[in-house]
Coordinates of all heavy atoms in Angstrom, one line a residue:
Chain A
L71 N 0.9 5.4 -19.8 CA 1.2 4.6 -21.1 C 2.6 4.1 -21.2 O 2.9 3.1 -21.8 CB 0.9 5.5 -22.3 CG -0.6 5.9 -22.5 CD1 -0.8 6.8 -23.6 CD2 -1.4 4.6 -22.7
R74 N 2.8 1.7 -17.3 CA 1.7 0.8 -17.0 C 1.5 0.6 -15.5 O 1.1 -0.4 -15.1 CB 1.9 -0.5 -17.7 CG 2.0 -0.5 -19.1 CD 0.8 0.2 -19.7 NE 1.1 0.8 -21.0 CZ 0.5 0.4 -22.1 NH1 -0.4 -0.6 -22.1 NH2 0.8 0.9 -23.3
P116 N -17.2 33.2 -27.4 CA -16.3 32.1 -27.7 C -15.6 31.5 -26.5 O -15.6 30.3 -26.3 CB -15.2 32.7 -28.6 CG -15.8 33.8 -29.3 CD -16.9 34.3 -28.3
S120 N -16.2 27.8 -25.0 CA -15.1 26.8 -25.0 C -14.9 26.3 -23.6 O -14.5 25.1 -23.4 CB -13.9 27.4 -25.6 OG -13.4 28.4 -24.8
I123 N -17.4 23.7 -23.0 CA -17.1 22.4 -23.7 C -16.0 21.7 -23.1 O -15.9 20.5 -23.0 CB -16.8 22.8 -25.2 CG1 -18.0 23.4 -25.9 CG2 -16.3 21.6 -25.9 CD1 -19.1 22.4 -26.3
L126 N -17.3 19.7 -20.5 CA -18.0 18.5 -21.0 C -17.0 17.4 -21.5 O -17.2 16.2 -21.3 CB -18.9 18.9 -22.2 CG -20.1 19.6 -21.9 CD1 -20.8 20.1 -23.2 CD2 -21.1 18.8 -21.1
A127 N -15.8 17.9 -22.0 CA -14.8 16.9 -22.4 C -14.4 16.0 -21.2 O -14.2 14.8 -21.4 CB -13.6 17.6 -23.0
A130 N -17.0 13.7 -20.2 CA -17.0 12.5 -21.1 C -15.9 11.5 -20.7 O -16.0 10.3 -20.8 CB -16.7 13.0 -22.5
M133 N -17.4 9.4 -18.1 CA -18.4 8.5 -18.8 C -17.6 7.4 -19.5 O -18.0 6.2 -19.4 CB -19.1 9.3 -19.9 CG -20.2 10.1 -19.5 SD -21.7 9.2 -19.1 CE -22.1 8.4 -20.7
L134 N -16.5 7.7 -20.1 CA -15.7 6.7 -20.8 C -15.2 5.6 -19.8 O -15.3 4.4 -20.1 CB -14.5 7.3 -21.5 CG -13.5 6.3 -22.2 CD1 -14.2 5.7 -23.3 CD2 -12.3 7.1 -22.6
T136 N -16.7 4.7 -17.0 CA -17.7 3.8 -16.6 C -18.2 2.9 -17.7 O -18.8 1.8 -17.4 CB -19.0 4.6 -16.1 OG1 -19.4 5.4 -17.2 CG2 -18.6 5.5 -14.9
G137 N -17.9 3.2 -18.9 CA -18.4 2.4 -20.1 C -17.5 1.2 -20.4 O -17.9 0.5 -21.3
I138 N -16.3 1.1 -19.8 CA -15.4 0.1 -20.3 C -15.1 -0.8 -19.1 O -14.7 -0.4 -18.0 CB -14.1 0.7 -20.8 CG1 -14.4 1.4 -22.2 CG2 -13.1 -0.4 -21.1 CD1 -13.3 2.2 -22.7
E139 N -15.3 -2.1 -19.3 CA -15.3 -3.0 -18.1 C -13.9 -3.5 -17.8 O -13.5 -3.5 -16.7 CB -16.2 -4.2 -18.4 CG -17.6 -4.0 -17.9 CD -18.6 -4.6 -18.8 OE1 -18.5 -5.7 -19.2 OE2 -19.6 -3.9 -19.1
E142 N -7.7 -3.0 -17.4 CA -6.5 -2.6 -18.0 C -6.8 -1.7 -19.2 O -6.2 -0.6 -19.4 CB -5.7 -3.8 -18.5 CG -4.3 -3.5 -19.0 CD -4.2 -3.1 -20.4 OE1 -5.1 -3.5 -21.2 OE2 -3.3 -2.4 -20.8
R143 N -7.8 -2.1 -20.0 CA -8.2 -1.3 -21.1 C -8.8 0.1 -20.7 O -8.6 1.1 -21.3 CB -9.3 -2.1 -22.0 CG -9.8 -1.3 -23.2 CD -10.7 -2.1 -24.0 NE -10.1 -3.1 -24.7 CZ -10.7 -4.2 -25.2 NH1 -12.0 -4.3 -25.0 NH2 -10.1 -5.1 -25.9
R146 N -6.0 2.4 -19.9 CA -5.3 2.8 -21.2 C -6.1 3.8 -21.9 O -5.6 4.9 -22.3 CB -5.1 1.5 -22.0 CG -4.1 1.6 -23.1 CD -3.4 0.3 -23.4 NE -4.4 -0.9 -23.4 CZ -5.1 -1.2 -24.4 NH1 -5.1 -0.5 -25.5 NH2 -5.9 -2.2 -24.3
F147 N -7.4 3.5 -22.1 CA -8.2 4.5 -22.9 C -8.4 5.8 -22.1 O -8.4 6.9 -22.8 CB -9.6 3.9 -23.1 CG -9.6 2.8 -24.2 CD1 -8.5 2.3 -24.7 CD2 -10.8 2.4 -24.7 CE1 -8.5 1.4 -25.8 CE2 -10.9 1.4 -25.7 CZ -9.7 0.9 -26.2
V150 N -5.3 7.8 -22.8 CA -5.3 8.4 -24.2 C -6.3 9.6 -24.2 O -6.0 10.7 -24.7 CB -5.7 7.3 -25.2 CG1 -6.0 8.0 -26.6 CG2 -4.6 6.3 -25.3
Y151 N -7.5 9.4 -23.7 CA -8.6 10.4 -23.8 C -8.2 11.6 -23.0 O -8.4 12.8 -23.4 CB -9.9 9.9 -23.4 CG -11.0 10.8 -23.8 CD1 -11.4 11.0 -25.1 CD2 -11.7 11.6 -22.8 CE1 -12.4 11.8 -25.5 CE2 -12.7 12.5 -23.2 CZ -13.0 12.6 -24.5 OH -14.0 13.5 -24.9
I153 N -5.2 12.8 -22.5 CA -4.3 13.5 -23.3 C -5.0 14.3 -24.4 O -4.8 15.5 -24.6 CB -3.2 12.6 -23.9 CG1 -2.4 12.0 -22.8 CG2 -2.3 13.4 -24.8 CD1 -1.5 10.9 -23.2
I154 N -5.9 13.6 -25.1 CA -6.6 14.3 -26.2 C -7.5 15.4 -25.8 O -7.6 16.5 -26.4 CB -7.4 13.2 -27.0 CG1 -6.5 12.4 -27.9 CG2 -8.5 13.8 -27.8 CD1 -6.1 13.1 -29.2
A155 N -8.1 15.2 -24.6 CA -9.1 16.2 -24.1 C -8.4 17.5 -23.7 O -9.1 18.5 -23.7 CB -9.9 15.6 -22.9
A157 N -6.8 19.3 -25.5 CA -6.9 20.2 -26.6 C -8.0 21.3 -26.3 O -7.8 22.4 -26.6 CB -7.4 19.4 -27.9
S158 N -9.0 20.8 -25.5 CA -10.1 21.8 -25.2 C -9.6 22.8 -24.2 O -10.0 24.0 -24.2 CB -11.3 21.1 -24.6 OG -11.0 20.4 -23.5
I160 N -6.3 23.9 -24.0 CA -5.5 24.8 -24.8 C -6.3 25.8 -25.6 O -6.1 27.0 -25.6 CB -4.6 24.0 -25.8 CG1 -3.7 23.1 -25.0 CG2 -3.8 24.9 -26.7 CD1 -2.9 22.1 -25.9
F161 N -7.4 25.2 -26.2 CA -8.3 26.1 -27.0 C -8.9 27.2 -26.1 O -9.0 28.3 -26.6 CB -9.4 25.2 -27.6 CG -10.3 25.9 -28.5 CD1 -9.7 26.3 -29.7 CD2 -11.6 26.1 -28.3 CE1 -10.5 27.0 -30.7 CE2 -12.4 26.7 -29.2 CZ -11.9 27.2 -30.4
V164 N -6.1 29.8 -25.7 CA -5.7 30.6 -26.8 C -6.8 31.4 -27.5 O -6.5 32.3 -28.2 CB -4.9 29.7 -27.8 CG1 -3.7 29.1 -27.2 CG2 -5.8 28.7 -28.5
I165 N -8.0 30.9 -27.3 CA -9.1 31.5 -28.2 C -9.1 33.0 -28.2 O -9.3 33.6 -29.2 CB -10.5 30.9 -27.8 CG1 -11.6 31.4 -28.7 CG2 -10.9 31.2 -26.4 CD1 -11.8 30.6 -29.9
V168 N -6.1 34.3 -30.2 CA -6.1 34.1 -31.7 C -7.1 35.1 -32.3 O -6.9 35.7 -33.3 CB -6.5 32.7 -32.0 CG1 -6.7 32.5 -33.5 CG2 -5.4 31.7 -31.5
R169 N -8.3 35.1 -31.8 CA -9.4 35.9 -32.4 C -10.1 36.7 -31.4 O -11.0 36.3 -30.7 CB -10.4 34.9 -33.1 CG -11.3 35.5 -34.0 CD -10.7 36.1 -35.3 NE -11.6 37.0 -36.0 CZ -11.7 38.3 -35.8 NH1 -10.9 38.8 -34.9 NH2 -12.5 39.0 -36.5
D171 N -12.4 38.6 -30.6 CA -13.8 39.1 -30.7 C -14.7 38.7 -29.6 O -15.9 38.7 -29.6 CB -14.5 38.8 -32.1 CG -14.8 37.4 -32.2 OD1 -14.2 36.6 -31.4 OD2 -15.5 37.0 -33.1
Chain B
V169 N -9.6 12.9 -35.4 CA -10.0 12.7 -34.0 C -11.1 11.6 -34.0 O -11.1 10.7 -33.1 CB -10.6 14.0 -33.4 CG1 -10.9 13.8 -31.9 CG2 -9.7 15.1 -33.6
L172 N -9.6 8.0 -34.3 CA -9.0 7.7 -33.0 C -10.0 7.3 -31.9 O -9.9 6.3 -31.3 CB -8.1 8.8 -32.5 CG -7.4 8.5 -31.2 CD1 -6.3 7.5 -31.4 CD2 -6.8 9.8 -30.6
L173 N -11.0 8.2 -31.8 CA -12.0 8.0 -30.7 C -12.9 6.8 -31.0 O -13.3 6.1 -30.1 CB -12.7 9.3 -30.4 CG -11.9 10.4 -29.8 CD1 -12.7 11.6 -29.5 CD2 -11.1 9.9 -28.6
S175 N -12.1 4.2 -32.5 CA -11.4 2.9 -32.2 C -11.4 2.6 -30.7 O -11.2 1.5 -30.3 CB -10.0 3.0 -32.7 OG -9.3 4.0 -32.1
M176 N -11.7 3.7 -29.9 CA -11.9 3.4 -28.4 C -13.3 3.1 -28.1 O -13.6 2.2 -27.3 CB -11.4 4.7 -27.6 CG -10.0 4.8 -27.6 SD -9.2 6.2 -26.8 CE -10.5 7.0 -25.8
H179 N -15.1 -0.4 -28.1 CA -14.9 -1.4 -27.0 C -15.8 -1.0 -25.8 O -15.8 -1.7 -24.8 CB -13.5 -1.4 -26.5 CG -12.5 -1.9 -27.5 ND1 -12.5 -3.2 -27.8 CD2 -11.6 -1.3 -28.3 CE1 -11.6 -3.4 -28.8 NE2 -11.0 -2.3 -29.1
A180 N -16.5 0.1 -25.9 CA -17.3 0.5 -24.7 C -18.7 0.0 -24.8 O -19.2 -0.4 -25.8 CB -17.4 2.0 -24.7
R181 N -19.3 -0.1 -23.6 CA -20.8 -0.4 -23.5 C -21.5 0.8 -24.2 O -21.1 1.9 -24.1 CB -21.2 -0.5 -22.1 CG -21.3 -2.0 -21.6 CD -21.8 -2.0 -20.2 NE -20.7 -1.6 -19.3 CZ -20.9 -1.0 -18.2 NH1 -22.1 -0.6 -17.8 NH2 -19.9 -0.7 -17.4
M186 N -21.7 6.5 -26.9 CA -20.4 6.9 -26.4 C -19.6 7.8 -27.4 O -19.0 8.8 -27.0 CB -19.5 5.7 -26.0 CG -18.3 5.9 -25.2 SD -18.7 6.7 -23.7 CE -18.9 5.3 -22.6
I189 N -20.4 11.5 -27.5 CA -20.1 12.1 -26.2 C -18.6 12.4 -26.1 O -18.1 13.4 -25.7 CB -20.6 11.3 -25.0 CG1 -22.1 11.3 -25.0 CG2 -20.0 11.7 -23.7 CD1 -22.6 10.4 -23.9
L190 N -17.8 11.4 -26.6 CA -16.4 11.5 -26.6 C -15.9 12.5 -27.6 O -15.0 13.3 -27.4 CB -15.7 10.2 -26.8 CG -15.8 9.1 -25.8 CD1 -15.1 7.9 -26.3 CD2 -15.3 9.5 -24.5
L191 N -16.5 12.5 -28.8 CA -16.0 13.2 -29.9 C -16.3 14.7 -29.9 O -15.4 15.5 -30.2 CB -16.5 12.5 -31.2 CG -16.1 13.1 -32.5 CD1 -14.6 13.1 -32.6 CD2 -16.6 12.3 -33.7
P193 N -16.9 17.2 -27.7 CA -16.1 18.2 -27.0 C -14.7 18.3 -27.5 O -14.1 19.4 -27.6 CB -16.1 17.8 -25.5 CG -16.7 16.5 -25.5 CD -17.3 16.1 -26.8
V194 N -14.1 17.2 -27.9 CA -12.7 17.3 -28.4 C -12.6 17.9 -29.7 O -11.6 18.7 -30.0 CB -12.1 15.9 -28.4 CG1 -10.7 15.9 -28.9 CG2 -12.1 15.3 -27.0
L196 N -14.3 20.2 -30.9 CA -14.8 21.6 -30.9 C -13.9 22.7 -31.5 O -14.3 23.5 -32.3 CB -15.2 22.0 -29.5 CG -15.7 23.5 -29.5 CD1 -17.2 23.5 -29.7 CD2 -15.2 24.3 -28.3
P197 N -12.6 22.6 -31.2 CA -11.7 23.6 -31.8 C -11.8 23.6 -33.3 O -11.8 24.6 -33.9 CB -10.3 23.2 -31.3 CG -10.5 22.4 -30.1 CD -11.8 21.8 -30.2
I200 N -15.6 24.9 -34.2 CA -15.8 26.4 -34.0 C -15.0 27.2 -35.0 O -15.6 28.1 -35.7 CB -15.3 26.8 -32.6 CG1 -16.6 27.0 -31.7 CG2 -14.6 28.1 -32.6 CD1 -16.4 27.8 -30.4
R204 N -16.7 29.5 -37.9 CA -16.4 31.0 -38.0 C -15.8 31.4 -39.3 O -16.2 32.4 -39.9 CB -15.4 31.3 -36.8 CG -16.0 31.3 -35.5 CD -17.1 32.4 -35.4 NE -17.7 32.4 -34.0 CZ -17.5 33.4 -33.2 NH1 -16.8 34.4 -33.5 NH2 -18.1 33.3 -32.0
A216 N -9.0 39.7 -42.6 CA -8.7 39.6 -41.2 C -9.8 38.8 -40.4 O -9.5 38.4 -39.2 CB -8.5 40.9 -40.6
D217 N -10.9 38.7 -41.0 CA -12.0 38.0 -40.2 C -12.0 36.5 -40.4 O -12.5 35.8 -39.6 CB -13.4 38.6 -40.7 CG -13.7 39.8 -39.9 OD1 -13.4 39.8 -38.7 OD2 -14.2 40.8 -40.5
P220 N -7.5 34.2 -39.6 CA -7.0 33.6 -38.3 C -7.7 32.3 -38.0 O -7.1 31.4 -37.4 CB -7.4 34.7 -37.3 CG -7.5 35.9 -38.0 CD -8.0 35.6 -39.4
W221 N -9.0 32.2 -38.4 CA -9.7 31.0 -38.1 C -9.2 29.8 -38.9 O -9.1 28.7 -38.4 CB -11.2 31.1 -38.3 CG -11.9 32.0 -37.3 CD1 -12.4 33.3 -37.6 CD2 -12.1 31.7 -35.9 NE1 -12.9 33.8 -36.4 CE2 -12.7 32.9 -35.4 CE3 -11.8 30.7 -35.1 CZ2 -13.1 32.9 -34.1 CZ3 -12.2 30.7 -33.8 CH2 -12.8 31.9 -33.3
L224 N -6.0 28.8 -37.3 CA -6.3 28.0 -36.1 C -6.7 26.6 -36.4 O -6.3 25.6 -35.8 CB -7.4 28.7 -35.3 CG -7.8 28.1 -33.9 CD1 -6.6 28.1 -33.0 CD2 -8.9 28.8 -33.3
M231 N -2.0 19.4 -34.8 CA -2.0 18.9 -33.4 C -2.7 17.5 -33.3 O -2.2 16.6 -32.7 CB -2.7 19.9 -32.5 CG -2.1 20.1 -31.1 SD -2.9 21.5 -30.4 CE -4.5 21.0 -30.1
F232 N -3.9 17.4 -33.9 CA -4.6 16.2 -33.8 C -4.0 15.1 -34.6 O -3.9 13.9 -34.1 CB -6.1 16.4 -34.2 CG -6.9 17.1 -33.2 CD1 -7.8 18.1 -33.6 CD2 -6.8 16.8 -31.9 CE1 -8.6 18.7 -32.7 CE2 -7.6 17.4 -31.0 CZ -8.5 18.4 -31.4
G235 N -1.0 13.9 -32.5 CA -1.6 13.2 -31.3 C -2.1 11.9 -31.6 O -1.8 10.9 -31.0
L239 N -0.8 8.2 -30.3 CA -1.7 7.6 -29.4 C -2.4 6.3 -29.9 O -2.8 5.5 -29.2 CB -2.7 8.5 -28.8 CG -2.2 9.7 -28.0 CD1 -3.2 10.7 -27.6 CD2 -1.6 9.1 -26.7
Y242 N -1.4 2.9 -28.7 CA -1.8 2.5 -27.4 C -3.2 2.0 -27.3 O -3.6 1.3 -26.5 CB -1.6 3.6 -26.4 CG -0.1 4.0 -26.2 CD1 0.4 5.2 -26.8 CD2 0.8 3.1 -25.6 CE1 1.7 5.5 -26.6 CE2 2.1 3.5 -25.5 CZ 2.6 4.6 -26.0 OH 3.9 5.0 -25.9
V243 N -4.0 2.6 -28.3 CA -5.5 2.2 -28.3 C -5.7 0.8 -28.8 O -6.5 0.0 -28.2 CB -6.3 3.2 -29.1 CG1 -7.7 2.8 -29.3 CG2 -6.2 4.6 -28.5
V244 N -4.9 0.4 -29.8 CA -5.2 -0.9 -30.4 C -4.3 -2.0 -29.9 O -4.5 -3.1 -30.4 CB -5.1 -0.8 -32.0 CG1 -6.3 0.1 -32.5 CG2 -3.8 -0.3 -32.4
E245 N -3.4 -1.7 -29.1 CA -2.5 -2.8 -28.7 C -3.3 -3.9 -27.9 O -4.0 -3.6 -27.0 CB -1.4 -2.3 -27.7 CG -1.9 -1.7 -26.5 CD -0.8 -1.4 -25.5 OE1 0.2 -0.8 -25.9 OE2 -1.0 -1.7 -24.3
E246 N -3.3 -5.1 -28.4 CA -3.8 -6.2 -27.5 C -3.3 -7.5 -28.1 O -3.0 -7.6 -29.2 CB -5.2 -6.3 -27.4 CG -6.5 -6.0 -27.7 CD -7.1 -4.8 -27.2 OE1 -6.7 -4.1 -26.2 OE2 -8.0 -4.4 -27.8

Side-chain angles (χ1 to χ4, degrees):
Chain A
L71 291 177
R74 302 303 157 115
S120 68
I123 298 283
L126 287 175
M133 281 284 296
L134 175 68
T136 58
I138 293 171
E139 270 142 48
E142 192 275 332
R143 178 178 286 161
R146 195 150 43 82
F147 283 11
V150 169
Y151 194 71
I153 296 169
I154 283 283
S158 61
I160 299 174
F161 188 65
V164 299
I165 182 91
V168 173
R169 192 67 193 91
D171 66 348
Chain B
V169 189
L172 177 70
L173 294 182
S175 60
M176 288 180 9
H179 294 288
R181 261 180 286 147
M186 192 60 89
I189 291 177
L190 293 179
L191 181 54
V194 176
L196 179 94
I200 259 198
R204 289 294 181 114
D217 277 319
W221 289 110
L224 184 61
M231 214 169 72
F232 283 139
L239 292 172
Y242 296 107
V243 173
V244 291
E245 66 171 45
E246 16 276 339

